[in-house]
């Protein structure tokens, strides 16, 4: 794998890879971003958020993270979920609309089922993927998708049953500004519009994960809890879990959804670079416990007066 520090490695980005899925209203399209060289490369499945922009909520978003993770030796696979604004032609009465919570998680399972097909479809990628080293990451609503794959649950409003979308092939996770707990603390307009989030349960989210929360990410459209709400997946899920609290970060965490995105309220390229390094280092050390990348990144970026964040673990 590429070193976690030093000169960035060239990366390749290819898309769309089109996967027909029986019963899905449209084909599943994914983008693959990978280092130009290297073998035995672990995989990160990256779930986009909901967002206000059209193409950021699709396989074409999140280049600041996808490119940096690829520089650090990961293959990043990004689907366009049915909730994407690029698919706004889907009728409101399509099952699961408008959030498609179950479908979003199922997209990742379809990808894992067809990793060979994806690998063979991307030029220069064949034989370079480590199919046993899989992580999932997601931002905002994508963080909720990642949490479901790591073991979190919700009550499906379509059938009233608890949805269990846990994916055992995923070994690690990164939740970026993900929604927090359900229940009566959800008092905002979005909580009224989408009461399904009141049923969120992290008590069975057992897979190791890094939870990233901005200390100024105040999602009042859901709750009056303030930024602490986004740390709930750390506090309410069983260990092992790690919490990275980013200093002065709002919901965009410095601008991870796109380069120069207008919806980023806290644009900070240095924060995005630090977050990319910290998340890559966390995953690298999780996959290879003897690797010192995580400790080195923590020492460099979360200590001293100019620290980008604070870290705690359980």
């Amino acid at each position: 794998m590429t070193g976690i520090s030093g000169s960035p490695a060239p990366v390749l980005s290819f898309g769309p890879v089109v996967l027909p899925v029986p019963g899905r209203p449209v084909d599943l399209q994914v983008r693959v971003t990978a280092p130009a060289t290297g073998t035995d490369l672990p995989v990160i499945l990256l779930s986009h958020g909901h967002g206000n922009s059209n193409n950021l909520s699709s396989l074409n978003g999140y280049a600041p993270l996808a490119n940096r993770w690829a520089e650090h030796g990961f293959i990043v696979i990004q689907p366009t979920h049915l909730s994407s604004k690029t698919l706004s032609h889907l009728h409101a009465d399509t099952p699961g609309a408008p959030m498609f919570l179950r479908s979003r998680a199922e997209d990742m399972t379809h990808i894992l089922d067809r990793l060979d097909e994806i690998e063979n479809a991307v030029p220069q990628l064949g034989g370079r993927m480590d199919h046993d080293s899989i992580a999932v990451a997601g931002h905002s609503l994508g963080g909720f998708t990642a949490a479901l794959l790591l073991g979190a649950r919700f009550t499906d409003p379509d059938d009233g049953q608890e949805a269990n979308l846990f994916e055992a092939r995923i070994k690690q996770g990164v939740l970026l500004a993900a929604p927090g707990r359900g229940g009566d603390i959800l008092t905002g307009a979005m909580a009224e519009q989408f009461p399904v989030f009141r049923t969120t349960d992290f008590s069975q989210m057992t897979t190791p994960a890094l939870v990233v929360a901005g200390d100024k990410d105040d999602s009042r459209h859901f709750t009056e809890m303030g930024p602490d709400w986004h740390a709930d997946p750390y506090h309410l899920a069983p260990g092992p879990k790690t919490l990275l609290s980013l200093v002065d970060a709002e919901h965009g965490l410095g601008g991870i959804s796109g380069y120069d995105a207008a919806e980023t309220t806290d644009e900070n390229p240095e924060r995005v670079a630090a977050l990319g390094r910290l998340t890559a280092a966390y995953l690298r050390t999780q996959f290879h416990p003897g690797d010192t990348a995580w400790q080195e990144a923590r020492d460099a970026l979360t200590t001293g007066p100019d620290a980008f964040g604070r870290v705690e673990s359980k």
Side-chain angles (χ1 to χ4, degrees), residues 8 14 37-38 68 93 124 135 137 152 155 157 183 198 220 239 267 279 296:
F14 183 88
T37 60
R68 188 163 294 272
D93 58 358
Q124 303 181 44
T155 300
R198 295 187 190 279
R220 293 181 180 269
E267 187 172 29
T279 49
E296 291 170 3

Side-chain angles (χ1 to χ4, degrees), residues 46-49 56 58 60-67 78 139 256-258:
L46 176 55
S47 178
H48 62 73
L56 296 184
S58 76
N60 294 314
Y62 294 88
L65 277 185
N67 290 342
Q78 299 173 252
H139 175 237
I256 62 172
S257 62

Side-chain angles (χ1 to χ4, degrees), residues 78-297:
Q78 299 173 252
T80 295
H81 297 301
L82 294 180
S83 62
S84 171
K85 284 185 169 53
T86 64
L87 300 177
S88 58
H89 61 279
L90 293 178
H91 295 298
D93 58 358
T94 302
M99 292 296 190
F100 295 99
L101 299 181
R102 182 184 288 273
S103 171
R104 289 173 64 99
E106 290 172 344
D107 286 344
M108 300 309 204
T109 291
H110 292 311
I111 289 170
L112 292 178
D113 289 342
R114 300 168 73 172
L115 280 180
D116 285 331
E117 183 178 342
I118 294 170
E119 186 175 5
N120 292 330
V122 179
Q124 303 181 44
L125 192 61
R128 300 173 57 210
M129 183 184 294
D130 182 352
H131 290 229
D132 295 320
S133 296
I134 308 294
V136 66
H139 175 237
S140 193
L141 184 60
F144 188 80
T145 301
L148 295 176
L149 292 159
L150 301 175
R153 309 287 178 87
F154 73 99
T155 300
D156 192 326
D158 292 332
D159 60 16
Q161 301 297 309
E162 183 180 71
N164 179 4
L165 296 159
F166 172 72
E167 178 52 75
R169 288 173 290 183
I170 295 173
K171 307 304 182 185
Q172 326 289 345
V174 177
L175 308 186
L176 301 158
R181 74 184 72 180
D184 292 341
I185 60 93
L186 296 184
T187 56
M190 285 291 286
E192 294 298 322
Q193 188 175 355
F194 301 108
V196 63
F197 290 106
R198 295 187 190 279
T199 67
T200 303
D201 178 10
F202 296 108
S203 65
Q204 298 182 71
M205 195 178 82
T206 57
T207 307
L210 173 66
V211 177
V212 181
D215 69 5
K216 291 188 177 178
D217 185 2
D218 194 351
S219 297
R220 293 181 180 269
H221 52 298
F222 273 106
T223 178
E224 296 294 324
M225 267 190 69
D228 289 345
W229 187 56
H230 296 285
D232 277 348
Y234 169 77
H235 294 294
L236 301 180
K241 298 290 183 295
T242 298
L243 175 64
L244 169 62
S245 301
L246 288 179
V247 176
D248 291 334
E250 298 177 18
H251 198 61
L253 303 178
I256 62 172
S257 62
Y259 295 113
D260 300 320
E263 66 188 57
T264 298
T265 57
D266 63 333
E267 187 172 29
N268 187 317
E270 292 79 14
R271 181 181 301 131
V272 174
L275 176 59
R277 180 181 172 188
L278 284 160
T279 49
Y282 171 85
L283 292 172
R284 176 168 172 168
T285 298
Q286 287 292 309
F287 284 129
H288 304 283
D291 197 297
T292 60
W294 173 235
Q295 187 60 55
E296 291 170 3

Side-chain angles (χ1 to χ4, degrees), residues 2-9 68 71-72 277:
T2 306
I4 208 72
S5 59
S7 300
R68 188 163 294 272
E71 289 172 6
H72 290 318
R277 180 181 172 188

